């Protein structure tokens, strides 16, 4: 591959599976239960050219998307139905 100095630059992209911690998120569920959750994301870059050209920072974008998805999913979930009651 030929790189033109000053116009182009070479960027290395790891094609292995990446493991990324999602920062702890404070979420209020649909039934007003306040919880603090964290998560782990596993992903792999399929198309390195798109990862570099179409996204400014694909690692940060993946982290932000994971945080947003975690909040949205938990905010729409009723957590009282997920845990068994203490009386029963």
């Amino acid at each position: 591959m030929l790189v033109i100095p000053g116009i182009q630059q070479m960027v290395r992209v790891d094609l292995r599976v990446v493991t990324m911690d999602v920062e702890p998120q404070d979420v209020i569920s649909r039934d007003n239960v306040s919880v603090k959750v964290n998560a782990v994301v596993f992903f792999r870059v399929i198309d390195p050219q798109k990862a570099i050209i179409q996204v400014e920072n694909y690692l940060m974008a993946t982290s932000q998307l994971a945080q947003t998805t975690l909040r949205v999913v938990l905010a729409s979930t009723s957590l009282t139905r997920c845990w068994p009651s203490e009386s029963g």
Side-chain angles (χ1 to χ4, degrees), residues 32-86:
N32 291 324
V33 176
S34 179
V35 292
K36 186 170 198 153
V37 295
N38 60 349
V40 177
V41 176
F42 299 91
F43 70 94
R44 182 170 57 104
V45 174
I46 301 297
D47 189 342
Q49 188 172 3
K50 284 184 179 180
I52 298 302
I53 294 173
Q54 294 184 1
V55 181
E56 182 178 356
N57 183 342
Y58 73 93
L59 291 171
M60 180 60 77
T62 303
S63 175
Q64 295 294 317
L65 179 62
Q67 290 174 33
T68 302
T69 303
L70 183 63
R71 287 192 302 266
V72 166
V73 168
L74 288 176
S76 65
T77 303
S78 175
L79 295 179
T80 55
R81 287 190 290 171
C82 295
W83 291 308
S85 64
E86 294 179 20

